Amino acid sequence: FDHCQSAITELVVYSYLILVAKCPSIHKFPIMQSLAIFLQALVCASIFFVWVVRYENIISEFKHFKYPDWLRDCVGILKLTFSILLLVGITQHSFALVGGIGITLLMVAAFFTHLRVKNPLLMMWPSLILMILSIVICFLNYRMLGDEW
């Protein structure tokens, strides 16, 4: 588990460093935009890790939930698509807003699924944390969209 956390942390840090290299003026961004970029990279890396690297775990969870394979595939496509929108949203806030709303809705559904199958609170934390982070991403990008108009 610690190895997984460090891999995600490294991915987020490297994503941020690449962004700084590609966009040298990033140090001039307001703190709100820097926070949004960090959270978007973090949520994207987390979803990528769970839905690509640990996909076998997703298969067993969906079987435990008694959900069909086609639903698992649809959820995976949506999560990865919304994650890509978060990355595109680093420069175009409307994309981050759509990605954040999508991930928020999927995390609400995941939370209710955990409640339905009576999972312990420990298994609900990831969906709750990603839901909260996605709401913050939506809020920050909505505010930045308002500043652009």
Side-chain angles (χ1 to χ4, degrees), residues 58-70:
I58 293 294
I59 291 171
S60 66
E61 281 187 8
F62 270 73
K63 285 182 181 175
H64 172 71
F65 300 149
K66 295 183 174 54
Y67 285 150
D69 292 347
W70 65 265

Side-chain angles (χ1 to χ4, degrees), residues 2 7 22 31 52 65 81 123 143:
D2 291 335
K22 297 284 184 192
I31 188 71
V52 176
F65 300 149
T81 300
M123 292 189 71
R143 292 283 310 265

Side-chain angles (χ1 to χ4, degrees), residues 12 23 26-27 41 44 56 87 95 104 110 113-114 117 142 144:
V12 170
C23 183
I26 193 146
H27 65 279
C44 182
E56 293 299 321
L87 290 182
F95 285 91
T104 299
T113 295
H114 287 293
V117 298
Y142 181 76
M144 289 186 285

Side-chain angles (χ1 to χ4, degrees), residues 65-146:
F65 300 149
K66 295 183 174 54
Y67 285 150
D69 292 347
W70 65 265
L71 181 62
R72 178 196 64 227
D73 295 340
C74 287
V75 169
I77 290 168
L78 287 172
K79 281 192 178 183
L80 293 172
T81 300
F82 291 138
S83 295
I84 291 168
L85 289 176
L86 289 180
L87 290 182
V88 173
I90 289 173
T91 58
Q92 299 176 9
H93 303 297
S94 58
F95 285 91
L97 187 58
V98 171
I101 290 169
I103 292 171
T104 299
L105 293 174
L106 290 171
M107 292 301 104
V108 168
F111 177 72
F112 281 113
T113 295
H114 287 293
L115 287 177
R116 181 180 64 84
V117 298
K118 297 179 172 82
N119 276 340
L121 185 60
L122 184 63
M123 292 189 71
M124 296 181 199
W125 277 117
S127 61
L128 285 173
I129 291 169
L130 283 177
M131 180 176 57
I132 291 166
L133 291 178
S134 296
I135 290 169
V136 171
I137 288 168
C138 290
F139 173 76
L140 292 173
N141 281 281
Y142 181 76
R143 292 283 310 265
M144 289 186 285
L145 268 176

